[in-house]
Amino acid sequence: MDRLFPAACLFAALLTGCAQHTPKQAAPPLRVGVAEAAVDSVPNRMSFIGYLASNFDAVIQPRVNGYLSSKQYGNGMPVRRGQLLFTIDPDQLSTSMLAAEAELESARAEARNNYDRAVPLARIDAISQSQLDQYTAQWKAAEASVRSAEQSLRNARMNVGYTELRSPIDGIIEHTAAHVGDYVGPGTQFSVLTSISNIDTLTVDVAIPMAEYLRAAGGRSSIYDNEGLLSDIRLTLADGTRYPYGGLYDYTRKDVSSSTGTLVLVVMFPNPDRSLKPGQFARVSANVGPVQPRVIVPQQSVSQAQGVNSVWVVRPDSTAAYR
């Protein structure tokens, strides 16, 4: 079989053959190679542009008011769960804790002493039963005061513990606008000190036009659950490097974009060696929808002009048709 001719070459060859035809000399027959179209399963692969984002951020907020006495980390550096980040001067809160301890001891002593003195006196009839009942009632009331004092002491101890702010997660920590000596805590201008971004897993928003989504989704029962819609999710970095770990579908955002008419799916990529950073440019490619059977033709037989792909098809009667 002769080699395949692109459609443009075939058309030019036909014109040349007609122009050179003369009544005196017949043109030699033109031999054109042909290829059979085949049906194969080809995935609907799409590319998307986006930016990497952290899986979630933990906000560091002081629970107590006080003067910031130390900062224990470097801005923009990795931190570990449980690592000490800030300390607030505990002196004022420690004083409150000591006062609560003294109040508790006083309540315990007063409640028990009066009752203990009254019981022997009642046994020898030195005091009346009504007086004993009065002391007993006072003891019960004092016991309630003891429980209240115990709760106050627990709160005071917790507040002293809150003067040390530790990281709740592993991640990258943001800078803080507060400096040592600033008054921080609820109701102050430093009610939030910083935030920590988790980078164990990073996410990318994948925006699919609604028309394309409806074609690819097929008979899905829910537009909110798109598990399995994307497959073979791959990430390419800004320098063209292909990220070695594949992505997974996470969830679908609740709204369709009114400005672009797209449905946004969130995909996530593991980041075990911390080579990815939030805000980094990313190109994501994925198979969208189920793999469908498609007609396959050799690329060299396809002609492209003004964004239109076309081929010449040989009919059973050996004539060519443009499609």
Side-chain angles (χ1 to χ4, degrees):
M1 178 180 291
D2 295 335
R3 65 185 181 87
L4 292 175
F5 281 83
C9 295
L10 172 59
F11 186 60
L14 290 173
L15 290 179
T16 303
C18 294
Q20 293 178 353
H21 177 72
T22 63
K24 296 180 180 179
Q25 183 179 1
L30 179 64
R31 298 180 61 85
V32 179
V34 296
E36 292 186 3
V39 177
D40 198 356
S41 297
V42 177
N44 178 27
R45 193 150 189 89
M46 298 179 64
S47 294
F48 310 92
I49 301 299
Y51 294 91
L52 295 168
S54 62
N55 194 25
F56 64 90
D57 293 338
V59 178
I60 307 302
Q61 297 176 278
R63 299 188 182 186
V64 294
N65 295 88
Y67 292 97
L68 195 65
S69 58
S70 70
K71 170 190 165 187
Q72 305 286 339
Y73 69 91
N75 294 334
M77 297 300 292
V79 295
R80 291 292 185 183
R81 181 177 180 179
Q83 179 178 334
L84 181 63
L85 305 177
F86 301 97
T87 57
I88 298 174
D89 187 358
D91 289 348
Q92 183 177 355
L93 295 172
S94 297
T95 300
S96 300
M97 184 180 68
L98 293 175
E101 289 176 345
E103 181 182 355
L104 174 61
E105 293 302 324
S106 175
R108 283 173 175 169
E110 181 180 358
R112 193 70 189 178
N113 289 342
N114 291 337
Y115 178 75
D116 288 344
R117 284 193 298 266
V119 170
L121 294 176
R123 288 175 180 169
I124 62 174
D125 296 328
I127 60 173
S128 65
Q129 184 63 38
S130 62
Q131 288 177 309
L132 178 61
D133 292 341
Q134 181 180 359
Y135 284 124
T136 303
Q138 290 175 353
W139 177 37
K140 297 298 183 185
E143 281 187 328
S145 299
V146 169
R147 289 192 293 272
S148 176
E150 288 174 343
Q151 183 61 44
S152 298
L153 178 59
R154 283 193 292 269
N155 291 339
R157 286 174 176 169
M158 281 194 302
N159 288 337
V160 171
Y162 292 152
T163 59
E164 291 187 350
L165 282 75
R166 298 181 179 273
S167 174
I169 61 171
D170 296 341
I172 302 298
I173 193 166
E174 184 61 88
H175 76 282
T176 179
H179 298 86
V180 173
D182 287 335
Y183 191 70
V184 301
T188 71
Q189 63 174 324
F190 301 114
S191 59
V192 174
L193 293 180
T194 187
S195 63
I196 302 173
S197 297
N198 173 266
I199 59 170
D200 293 337
T201 301
L202 297 184
T203 63
V204 181
D205 285 357
V206 170
I208 302 177
M210 275 304 298
E212 182 69 27
Y213 170 79
L214 294 175
R215 284 194 295 268
R220 283 183 172 269
S221 58
S222 174
I223 196 174
Y224 301 101
D225 183 10
N226 292 291
E227 183 72 32
L229 180 67
L230 303 180
S231 60
D232 192 23
I233 306 172
R234 295 295 175 180
L235 172 65
T236 303
L237 304 179
D239 61 353
T241 303
R242 186 171 181 176
Y243 189 60
Y245 300 99
L248 295 173
Y249 166 82
D250 192 5
Y251 67 96
T252 301
R253 296 199 181 276
K254 64 183 182 69
D255 296 327
V256 175
S257 174
S258 58
S259 59
T260 61
T262 57
L263 185 69
V264 179
L265 279 61
V266 180
V267 298
M268 54 186 180
F269 292 90
N271 189 27
D273 53 1
R274 296 187 175 182
S275 61
L276 301 179
K277 190 176 181 66
Q280 193 172 347
F281 174 83
R283 184 187 301 275
V284 176
S285 61
N287 298 336
V288 181
V291 177
Q292 300 288 351
R294 300 176 186 273
V295 177
I296 307 300
V297 298
Q299 181 64 40
Q300 67 187 93
S301 65
V302 178
S303 177
Q304 295 180 332
Q306 297 183 352
V308 177
N309 297 324
S310 59
V311 294
W312 287 89
V313 179
V314 179
R315 294 171 174 168
D317 59 359
S318 297
T319 59
Y322 175 81
R323 293 183 186 176

